[in-house]
Amino acid sequence: MEKQNVTEFVFTGHFGSKQTELVFFFLFLLCYLAVIMGNLIILLTILCSHLIEQPMYYFLCHLSLMDLCYTSTVVPRLIRDLAATRRSISYNSCMAQLFIVHWLAAVEMFILVSMAFDRYVAIVKPLHYMVIVNRKRCNLLIAMGWGLGFCHSIALLLMVLNLPFCGPNQINHYVCDIKPLLKLVCKDIRLVSILVIANSGTVVIVIFIVLFASYIVILYNLRMRSSAGRRKALSTCSSHIMVVVLFFVPCIFTYSFPAGGKNKDKEISVLYTVIAPMLNPLIYTLRNKEMKIAMGKVWGRMSHSQLR
């Protein structure tokens, strides 16, 4: 077995000249602040209103929490590195980041699946909705998401820990991810690449197809609703579909192809690590009348209590 002698990695995958990176520094800082503010507003609005009793908003609350946690594992280091001269990360920290990023991303995917399941039952089996999607089952779905996400992430981590890094240590990316790491391995990676695609790429594609099929069935069943009910359901479902597309399509492009050669993984990953978590709160508030009313009541109540 090749000798393991890499103790740290150096990120080289940033965004051009120093002036350009300064622009990106402020841009990503603003994006990160928007992610924090937007998702905290959704979290507080749901937790401080009657919406927390509804399964759809219960899942949305968990989605906002995941967006906060997931983005916070990537963007603060990216912002720091854009302003730094040396952009290194220790081997152990790199492995920890790889594990946490994939765990949280997998949990987010399963939350999106749970949200699709909730809408499917609400529209296809409305009379049994409260029985099927009760709080106990909601908690079970969230726990399953954490458990399955952990299994996915630990399998990926164990795979990487058994690989020898004995030469170059420059990662052409801004985060420790599986594909840029595979390019640094000093042995044949064809089998490992297939396993990575099976572990990440295939799972992402299958989940996306299942979600897409479920929304087709949901939209088909909306024909039987009244025009008012159809409009409300379409507004909710279109928000879910936009979020699913924003998150899954870039992930499919990133993880469904083998490592090696030139690709745009770095640029594409910005979409699901920064842009999607920033846009999710806007998508769910601007297109959701119930959410806007709850926000008005909660934040109005808070403002009134402060004035008193």
Side-chain angles (χ1 to χ4, degrees), residues 122-294:
I123 290 163
V124 179
K125 298 181 180 292
L127 297 177
H128 302 98
Y129 177 68
M130 293 312 295
V131 176
I132 296 172
V133 193
N134 53 43
R135 183 49 58 90
K136 186 178 178 181
R137 191 162 276 123
C138 290
N139 289 332
L140 181 63
L141 286 169
I142 295 294
M144 278 178 62
W146 280 98
L148 291 169
F150 179 84
C151 292
H152 153 75
S153 194
I154 200 73
L156 208 62
L157 178 66
L158 292 173
M159 204 186 301
V160 176
L161 289 174
N162 285 314
L163 296 173
F165 295 94
C166 49
N169 68 338
Q170 294 188 330
I171 300 176
N172 183 24
H173 214 293
Y174 57 85
V175 63
C176 280
D177 203 1
I178 184 69
K179 282 178 70 177
L181 281 171
L182 286 183
K183 293 178 185 178
L184 307 180
V185 175
C186 47
K187 77 170 193 178
D188 184 48
I189 60 163
R190 279 175 293 185
L191 177 60
V192 180
S193 289
I194 292 167
L195 291 173
V196 167
I197 291 170
N199 180 287
S200 299
T202 307
V203 170
V204 172
I205 291 170
V206 169
I207 293 174
F208 181 71
I209 291 169
V210 169
L211 285 171
F212 201 73
S214 69
Y215 282 116
I216 289 172
V217 174
I218 288 168
L219 294 172
Y220 179 79
N221 278 272
L222 283 177
R223 298 172 306 129
M224 300 170 226
R225 290 290 186 94
S226 64
S227 57
R230 194 157 53 236
R231 272 197 305 273
K232 183 180 177 183
L234 272 172
S235 176
T236 305
C237 286
S238 61
S239 297
H240 289 317
I241 292 167
M242 285 169 70
V243 170
V244 165
V245 169
L246 267 173
F247 191 81
F248 275 86
V249 171
C251 285
I252 289 169
F253 274 102
T254 302
Y255 296 108
S256 301
F257 300 99
K262 290 186 178 180
N263 52 50
K264 296 287 184 182
D265 289 350
K266 178 181 66 180
E267 291 82 1
I268 291 169
S269 64
V270 171
L271 293 173
Y272 58 83
T273 56
V274 183
I275 305 301
M278 183 180 68
L279 293 180
N280 285 356
L282 288 173
I283 292 168
Y284 280 114
T285 52
L286 293 178
R287 300 180 61 84
N288 191 314
K289 189 178 177 182
E290 203 170 12
M291 191 74 188
K292 285 190 277 190
I293 292 168

Side-chain angles (χ1 to χ4, degrees), residues 83-100:
T85 307
R86 182 165 171 78
R87 299 153 177 179
S88 61
I89 183 171
S90 70
Y91 177 86
N92 290 338
S93 296
C94 184
M95 295 302 110
Q97 188 183 56
L98 173 74
F99 173 74
I100 293 167

Side-chain angles (χ1 to χ4, degrees), residues 34-91:
V35 168
I36 293 171
M37 286 179 63
N39 285 290
L40 277 179
I41 287 170
I42 283 190
L43 270 171
L44 290 171
T45 299
I46 294 172
L47 290 171
C48 299
S49 70
H50 68 286
L51 294 180
I52 191 63
E53 297 163 14
Q54 299 181 39
M56 183 177 84
Y57 295 103
Y58 175 76
F59 289 130
L60 178 57
C61 192
H62 281 275
L63 182 68
S64 291
L65 181 62
M66 278 305 99
D67 278 339
L68 276 171
C69 296
Y70 178 65
T71 310
S72 295
T73 61
V74 176
V75 181
R77 178 176 279 275
L78 168 59
I79 294 167
R80 190 204 72 178
D81 284 350
L82 284 167
T85 307
R86 182 165 171 78
R87 299 153 177 179
S88 61
I89 183 171
S90 70
Y91 177 86

